[in-house]
């Protein structure tokens, strides 16, 4: 979907911003910039570092020109779009000097790669679907948090005496159970040593893994998939609504044309009847023949 409004398409700058060539150029610059930032993490010759640095500055200048052109076209409407705000902030971070107190911002320069989300419509749709899934994911997080808290307290009560390194307190128990949930070395590293001291501990660990890893976490996937399907259906509904509006306009125009044609026919019929000379009827012709 284009970011340029129909009114703005009259502007040649707006047509440039909305062109496929311009979008492809910006996409290429983003990818090249990401490659440059990756290369600068390696030990390179000083000359090559200078060349890459100059290229990085040139690409940043191109991004600044792009933002300026968008502000010129959209004026204050530019800041009504969340994606425009995202592009503006990413480019603004690139302009902050990476020295002194702002040294940490040097690492944030790689955020420019995220601009692909705003440039490529397909990636933008995925991000928007993820954003719509956040409320549902928040509810699942609350459920998962309750399960974690209950299991952490139980683990601390049951196993802290024999395995304080895993379940010594609430925080340590929660971290251990997080490792169990991710299935990272949970069996040999955590579960089996505990089961060696507590034979029935397998019930606790197996139940926790089934509930968290195989049930709750799959709910996240279900919510995300449902959000993406809803976005697809919303887009389809929007297209159908636009097509319906176009059909209504066409039907209205056809009815108006029919009305105009009917008025025109009626007007032509009246003018033709007034201008046409009267013709003798058949009875008048017969009476004339008899008189002769």
């Amino acid at each position: 979907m284009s970011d340029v409004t129909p009114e703005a398409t009259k502007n040649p700058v707006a047509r440039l911003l909305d062109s496929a060539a311009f979008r492809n150029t910006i996409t290429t610059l983003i990818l090249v910039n990401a490659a440059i930032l990756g290369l600068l993490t390696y030990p390179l010759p000083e000359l090559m570092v200078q060349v890459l640095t100059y290229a990085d500055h040139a690409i940043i200048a191109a991004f600044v020109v792009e933002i300026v052109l968008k502000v010129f076209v959209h004026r204050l409407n530019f800041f009504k779009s969340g994606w425009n705000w995202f592009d503006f902030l990413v480019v603004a971070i690139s302009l902050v000097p990476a020295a002194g107190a702002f040294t940490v911002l040097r690492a944030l320069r790689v955020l420019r790669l995220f601009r692909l989300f705003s440039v490529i419509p397909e990636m933008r749709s995925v991000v928007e679907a993820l954003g719509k899934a956040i409320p549902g994911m928040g509810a699942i997080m609350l459920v998962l948090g309750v399960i974690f808290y209950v299991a952490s307290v139980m683990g601390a009560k049951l196993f802290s005496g024999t395995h304080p390194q895993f379940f010594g307190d609430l925080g340590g128990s929660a971290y251990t159970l997080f490792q169990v949930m991710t299935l990272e070395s949970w069996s040999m590293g955590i579960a089996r040593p505990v089961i060696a001291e507590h034979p029935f501990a397998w019930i606790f660990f197996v139940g926790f893994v089934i509930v968290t890893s195989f049930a709750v976490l799959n709910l996240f996937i279900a919510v995300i998939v449902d959000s993406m399907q809803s976005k697809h259906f919303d887009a389809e509904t929007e297209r159908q609504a636009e097509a319906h509006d176009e059909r209504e306009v066409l039907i209205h125009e056809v009815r108006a044309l029919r009305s105009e044609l009917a008025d025109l026919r009626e007007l032509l019929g009246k003018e033709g009847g007034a201008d046409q000379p009267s013709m003798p009827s058949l009875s008048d012709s017969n009476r004339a023949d008899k008189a002769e």
Side-chain angles (χ1 to χ4, degrees):
M1 183 178 294
S2 173
D3 291 333
V4 180
T5 59
E7 294 78 6
T9 55
K10 301 177 182 178
N11 191 322
V13 179
R15 291 197 296 270
L16 172 65
L17 293 176
D18 199 37
S19 64
F22 185 84
R23 291 196 300 272
N24 293 336
T25 301
I26 294 299
T27 302
T28 302
L29 290 178
I30 294 173
L31 295 175
V32 171
N33 188 230
I36 290 174
L37 294 176
L39 289 174
L40 289 175
T41 61
Y42 292 95
L44 301 173
E46 185 64 25
L47 178 60
M48 189 173 182
V49 171
Q50 291 181 358
V51 172
L52 293 177
T53 302
Y54 289 144
D56 180 66
H57 293 167
I59 293 175
I60 293 175
F63 291 159
V64 172
V65 171
E66 177 200 5
I67 296 297
V68 170
L69 291 178
K70 286 185 176 181
V71 173
F72 172 76
V73 170
H74 298 288
R75 300 294 193 273
L76 294 179
N77 290 330
F78 174 85
F79 298 100
K80 294 182 179 180
S81 171
W83 288 108
N84 289 340
W85 270 106
F86 177 78
D87 291 341
F88 179 82
L89 293 176
V90 169
V91 175
I93 291 174
S94 303
L95 297 178
V96 176
F102 301 101
T103 305
V104 67
L105 294 179
R106 180 182 295 272
L108 298 181
R109 294 183 303 169
V110 74
L111 292 178
R112 299 174 211 158
L113 185 61
F114 286 159
R115 291 203 60 208
L116 289 174
F117 297 158
S118 63
V119 174
I120 301 177
E122 291 78 8
M123 298 181 70
R124 184 191 305 185
S125 299
V126 173
V127 174
E128 290 176 349
L130 289 175
K132 291 184 177 180
I134 288 177
M137 294 172 65
I140 298 174
M141 287 293 294
L142 291 176
V143 173
L144 188 61
V146 172
I147 295 174
F148 252 88
Y149 185 82
V150 172
S152 298
V153 172
M154 289 180 60
K157 294 293 185 180
L158 294 173
F159 313 126
S160 61
T162 57
H163 295 83
Q165 71 275 24
F166 295 144
F167 300 96
D169 52 29
L170 179 63
S173 181
Y175 183 79
T176 299
L177 292 178
F178 180 81
Q179 181 179 347
V180 172
M181 183 188 69
T182 61
L183 304 179
E184 178 62 28
S185 301
W186 74 277
S187 179
M188 299 302 297
I190 299 174
R192 289 189 180 277
V194 175
I195 294 172
E197 299 290 339
H198 305 275
F200 294 99
W202 66 270
I203 300 175
F204 174 82
F205 288 107
V206 172
F208 181 81
V209 168
I210 291 176
V211 172
T212 57
S213 298
F214 300 149
V216 176
L217 291 183
N218 283 333
L219 290 177
F220 283 103
I221 301 175
V223 170
I224 294 173
V225 171
D226 180 70
S227 176
M228 297 188 69
Q229 289 180 343
S230 297
K231 183 173 179 58
H232 173 74
F233 291 148
D234 291 342
E236 185 65 25
T237 302
E238 183 178 352
R239 285 193 294 267
Q240 292 179 357
E242 292 177 354
H244 177 74
D245 293 340
E246 292 177 358
R247 287 195 297 269
E248 291 293 331
V249 172
L250 290 175
I251 291 173
H252 179 73
E253 292 179 352
V254 169
R255 289 176 178 173
L257 287 175
R258 288 179 176 176
S259 178
E260 292 178 359
L261 286 174
D263 294 340
L264 182 60
R265 288 174 180 172
E266 183 178 356
L267 180 62
L268 291 176
K270 291 180 179 180
E271 293 180 352
D275 296 340
Q276 185 177 3
S278 59
M279 299 294 293
S281 62
L282 182 58
S283 58
D284 293 338
S285 299
N286 293 333
R287 285 195 297 267
D289 293 338
K290 290 180 180 179
E292 292 177 355

